[in-house]
Amino acid sequence: MSQGKSPNRYTLRDVARHAGVSLGTASKALNKSGTLRQETRDKVLKAADELGFRPNDLAQALHRGQSFTVGLISNDSFGRFTMPIMEGLETVLHAAGIALFMCNATDDPEREKRHIDQLLGKRVDGLIFTGRRADRRPVPGLALGNLPVLYVFSQSDEPGAACLLPDDEGGARLATAHLLSLGRTRIAHVTGPEDFEAVRLRRRGYEASLSKVDPALILYGHWLEAWGREAATRLLAMPVRPDAIFAGNDQIARGIVETLRDNAISVPRDIAVIGFDNWSVMTEASRPQLSSIDMNLKLLGEEAGHRLIRMIRGERESGTSRLPCTLVPRASTVPTP
């Protein structure tokens, strides 16, 4: 190797010279195009490897019309929902030879625009928007043309946008039906802020599963353990206590279980408790461990990957699709032997 250049300074012409072939032959070998003998291709690839030559990805993308890269933009700074989605997404994209760029917009529209602009500059083949809540969000502030765009655990104001979400209402039906199957008849619902679409859908699933709904047993609050403790205290003060509680998320459920234990209420013998999200940090740390509804976020990411690949290939995807949730029973509803 010459001492005059660093590896990233070598050009295609240098590779051709090092391999003893023409510039056109080196280009065909590295781009896997044209008709060449395997011996010639191998010689060019070996020369490129010896020089540490890196092709210009942007130039190759322009040449091929595809960059084999996808951008993901999220405002879920904590990563609670985005990370499992990204895990599933990356599994599918990697198998298709597509790399994933992740950007964090942190609820800053200007920062999001800058990320979009940079990703468009890299000629990404598609964009995915996701976040920490599945509510509708404004259309991105930049024109995306015909670029495939998919919203995962998120929705768009744009008519006909392709959106992929967990089935919150169906998950709530699973949770409530599970409690009913245990013989519980007075089931409370302690949940988060009413302005979240997920809260409204989970209440709808809860109510649809009951023959009679007592509004006094539905409590709105925050997605916090502290709210779970406060709500449990209120429920214990009622003249007729509930015999089961369906919590809107696992943090609320854990707070409820702690307060019941502090008041010598046996879970699940006296009051059964089930959460939502199946977040292992909460479900496994709770005593007893929490039953919960799993939104299957990794599977959601895998489905997003398959759909985006189809969109990149020219297929049309539009409208909102909801994937089923799964019941994960544990000791807070089903006592261990």
Side-chain angles (χ1 to χ4, degrees):
M1 182 186 297
S2 168
Q3 299 300 314
K5 293 184 179 180
S6 60
N8 61 348
R9 294 290 185 178
Y10 284 97
T11 66
L12 181 61
R13 191 174 300 279
D14 293 317
V15 174
R17 187 181 299 113
H18 192 65
V21 299
S22 69
L23 188 63
T25 297
S27 176
K28 289 177 183 178
L30 293 173
N31 287 312
K32 300 178 182 178
S33 62
T35 303
L36 296 174
R37 290 186 302 165
Q38 189 60 46
E39 178 185 352
T40 303
R41 287 188 189 278
D42 292 342
K43 185 164 61 171
V44 173
L45 294 173
K46 181 181 179 183
D49 184 59
E50 289 175 350
L51 294 177
F53 172 74
R54 295 279 307 164
N56 185 319
D57 289 341
L58 181 55
Q60 287 198 328
L62 291 170
H63 176 73
R64 293 188 304 250
Q66 186 174 352
S67 66
F68 292 96
T69 59
V70 164
L72 182 147
I73 297 179
S74 174
N75 62 11
D76 177 19
S77 302
F78 188 61
R80 163 67 189 96
F81 303 107
T82 298
M83 294 310 293
I85 290 172
M86 189 176 74
E87 183 183 357
L89 179 64
E90 197 166 32
T91 298
V92 173
L93 294 180
H94 177 75
I98 298 174
L100 181 66
F101 296 134
M102 180 178 175
C103 302
N104 183 12
T106 63
D107 287 324
D108 182 344
E110 289 305 314
R111 186 171 181 175
E112 180 177 88
K113 286 182 184 178
R114 187 163 64 251
H115 283 317
I116 294 172
D117 190 51
Q118 290 171 335
L119 290 169
L120 293 178
K122 294 181 182 298
R123 301 280 178 162
V124 292
D125 299 323
L127 278 179
I128 290 178
F129 291 93
T130 187
R132 61 177 176 274
R133 59 187 288 184
D135 295 70
R136 294 191 179 277
R137 45 153 293 152
V139 176
L142 290 174
L144 301 178
N146 294 322
L147 186 72
V149 177
L150 183 61
Y151 294 85
V152 185
F153 202 74
S154 180
Q155 300 178 70
S156 172
D157 288 336
E158 184 179 7
C163 307
L164 192 58
L165 304 164
D167 184 2
D168 288 290
E169 183 175 346
R173 287 174 180 266
L174 280 177
T176 312
H178 175 59
L179 296 173
L180 289 169
S181 73
L182 301 174
R184 309 303 166 122
T185 58
R186 187 168 169 78
I187 303 172
H189 183 37
V190 179
T191 188
E194 196 171 3
D195 64 331
F196 277 63
E197 183 188 64
V199 168
R200 299 190 296 272
L201 290 174
R202 291 171 194 178
R203 173 176 176 168
R204 187 189 303 173
Y206 157 80
E207 292 180 331
S209 302
L210 300 174
S211 58
K212 183 179 180 181
V213 177
D214 183 352
L217 292 177
I218 302 174
L219 303 179
Y220 295 104
H222 305 283
W223 301 115
L224 300 171
E225 289 182 58
W227 163 236
R229 291 191 287 270
E230 179 185 337
T233 300
R234 292 191 200 177
L235 292 172
L236 291 178
M238 289 182 170
V240 181
R241 294 174 175 176
D243 56 10
I245 303 172
F246 165 36
N249 77 349
D250 294 330
Q251 288 170 276
I252 295 172
R254 186 178 176 189
I256 290 170
V257 168
E258 286 180 355
T259 298
L260 295 179
R261 186 177 64 241
D262 291 345
N263 285 271
I265 305 295
S266 174
V267 177
R269 187 188 64 206
D270 300 327
I271 300 178
V273 180
I274 187 169
F276 207 106
D277 292 345
N278 196 35
W279 187 15
S280 60
V281 171
M282 291 291 147
T283 58
E284 295 175 11
S286 178
R287 292 294 178 268
Q289 291 193 350
L290 280 171
S291 296
S292 189
I293 299 298
D294 195 325
M295 292 187 289
N296 296 320
L297 296 178
K298 183 180 177 182
L299 293 178
L300 197 73
E302 291 177 1
E303 177 63 20
H306 291 303
R307 292 192 181 207
L308 190 63
I309 289 171
R310 293 199 296 266
M311 293 169 74
I312 291 171
R313 291 172 178 169
E315 294 186 26
R316 174 69 177 160
E317 293 273 347
S318 63
T320 298
S321 301
R322 294 186 181 272
L323 270 59
C325 298
T326 304
L327 169 69
V328 183
R330 296 189 182 90
S332 69
T333 59
V334 182
T336 55

